[in-house]
């Protein structure tokens, strides 16, 4: 029973980390959209679809991710976990709320304000990603696609498959954005410097937050449980 309780405590902490990480990432995407200097590759696809399809972004995000989830469940469901569903049902709506709220505060931002928003968004998304990834309770439906291609179907190494899927998302997002009525000159607002940074340079900052904050946060829980086990063991020996 004691071991079960300990496992549960660790599990609950992981769930909290997943939930916290997704919420932070969702807020960061809203800030990316305010910066209008490019979003991550998958969000550039979503931005294109958002331009074309006249439904709320949160609902659109759920629909697209349910389609990707269906693919993963058929191809290889081992990458799907609680965090996948947290991401699926929360990220789009929180992003939509954050973006709409910030639009009422930051009206017609200058390029300096937009650059500041981009910097803040990059730091925040790396911080959230560290918690989400360290929790290790499943990946997003988009991440799962590249994992299936590389690990299950062995089409190529993960990093190369991921670059390919990112490029496809960027191209499709740009084309759909224009089809939806967006001007060519507006494309850098969804595919720009922010896209390049999120695609290629987020890793070191995520790892920094992993080492300094996320992993110690999870380890603290494990250490407490280990000490409690030792205490319980000592007490049982004394009773004997």
């Amino acid at each position: 029973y004691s071991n079960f309780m300990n496992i549960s405590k660790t599990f609950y902490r992981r769930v909290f980390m997943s939930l916290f990480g997704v919420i932070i990432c969702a807020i960061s995407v809203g800030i990316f959209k305010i910066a209008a200097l490019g979003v991550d590759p998958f969000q550039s696809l979503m931005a294109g679809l958002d331009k074309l399809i006249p439904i709320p972004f949160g609902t659109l995000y759920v629909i697209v991710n349910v389609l990707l989830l269906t693919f993963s469940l058929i191809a290889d469901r081992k990458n799907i976990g609680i965090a996948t569903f947290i991401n699926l049902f929360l990220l789009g709506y929180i992003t939509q709320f954050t973006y709409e709220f910030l639009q009422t505060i930051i009206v017609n931002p200058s390029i300096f304000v937009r650059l500041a928003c981009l910097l803040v968004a990059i730091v925040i998304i790396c911080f959230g990603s560290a918690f989400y990834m360290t929790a290790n309770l499943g990946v997003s439906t988009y991440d799962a696609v590249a994992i299936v291609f590389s690990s299950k179907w062995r089409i190529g190494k993960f990093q190369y498959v991921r670059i390919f899927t990112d490029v496809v998302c960027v191209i499709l997002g740009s084309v759909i954005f224009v089809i939806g009525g967006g001007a060519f000159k507006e494309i850098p607002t969804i595919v720009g410097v922010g896209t390049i940074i999120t695609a290629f340079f987020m890793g070191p900052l995520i790892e920094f937050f992993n080492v300094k904050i996320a992993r110690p946060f999870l380890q603290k829980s494990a250490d407490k449980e280990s000490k409690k086990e030792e205490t319980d063991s000592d007490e049982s020996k004394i009773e004997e």
Side-chain angles (χ1 to χ4, degrees):
Y1 177 77
S2 174
N3 288 337
F4 172 76
M5 289 299 294
N6 288 340
I7 292 171
S8 295
K9 286 176 183 176
T10 302
F11 176 74
Y12 290 140
R13 181 164 285 222
R14 288 181 182 274
V15 171
F16 168 78
M17 290 174 71
S18 296
L19 182 61
F20 177 76
V22 167
I23 291 172
I24 294 299
C25 287
I27 291 171
S28 75
V29 175
I31 301 173
F32 269 112
K33 289 164 77 74
I34 285 291
L37 291 169
V39 291
D40 69 80
F42 180 64
Q43 290 300 331
S44 67
L45 172 62
M46 291 305 306
L49 291 170
D50 190 37
K51 190 74 173 177
L52 179 67
I53 303 172
I55 61 174
F57 179 81
T59 304
L60 178 63
Y61 186 87
V62 171
I63 292 171
V64 172
N65 277 273
V66 165
L67 293 174
L68 293 175
L69 176 64
T70 302
F71 165 78
S72 292
L73 289 175
I74 294 171
D76 187 8
R77 64 184 64 187
K78 72 170 185 264
N79 302 304
I80 305 302
I82 290 175
T84 307
F85 292 94
I86 293 174
N87 180 295
L88 193 160
F89 290 109
L90 287 186
L91 193 140
Y93 289 110
I94 295 173
T95 294
Q96 180 183 335
F97 173 80
T98 302
Y99 179 56
E100 292 174 354
F101 173 72
L102 289 177
Q103 279 182 310
T104 65
I105 299 174
I106 306 173
V107 182
N108 297 322
S110 66
I111 186 62
F112 297 108
V113 173
R114 289 167 60 195
L115 285 168
C117 286
L118 177 63
L119 181 61
V120 169
I122 289 168
V123 172
I124 290 177
I125 198 171
C126 290
F127 181 71
S129 295
F131 273 79
Y132 179 78
M133 292 164 65
T134 298
N136 197 27
L137 289 179
V139 301
S140 72
T141 56
Y142 176 62
D143 290 334
V145 171
I147 293 173
V148 168
F149 285 162
S150 60
S151 300
K152 181 75 172 181
W153 295 348
R154 302 190 182 282
I155 291 174
K157 290 184 178 180
F158 174 80
Q159 58 263 42
Y160 301 127
V161 172
R162 182 54 184 263
I163 289 172
F164 173 76
T165 59
D166 284 350
V167 169
V168 169
C169 281
V170 166
I171 293 172
L172 279 178
S174 300
V175 172
I176 295 171
F177 180 79
V178 173
I179 293 173
F184 278 101
K185 66 179 181 180
E186 293 177 331
I187 289 178
T189 64
I190 65 168
V191 180
V193 62
T195 311
I196 296 170
I197 292 172
T198 54
F200 297 106
F201 301 109
M202 277 175 45
L205 189 53
I206 291 175
E207 184 61 16
F208 171 80
F209 285 127
N210 273 335
V211 172
K212 297 294 183 181
I213 301 174
R215 287 174 194 155
F217 180 80
L218 184 61
Q219 188 60 40
K220 187 184 294 185
S221 175
D223 290 343
K224 282 183 180 179
E225 289 167 11
S226 178
K227 288 180 182 178
K228 188 176 184 304
E229 278 186 4
E230 290 175 6
T231 302
D232 292 344
S233 177
D234 290 343
E235 288 177 353
S236 63
K237 287 179 180 178
I238 293 171
E239 288 173 2
E240 290 173 0

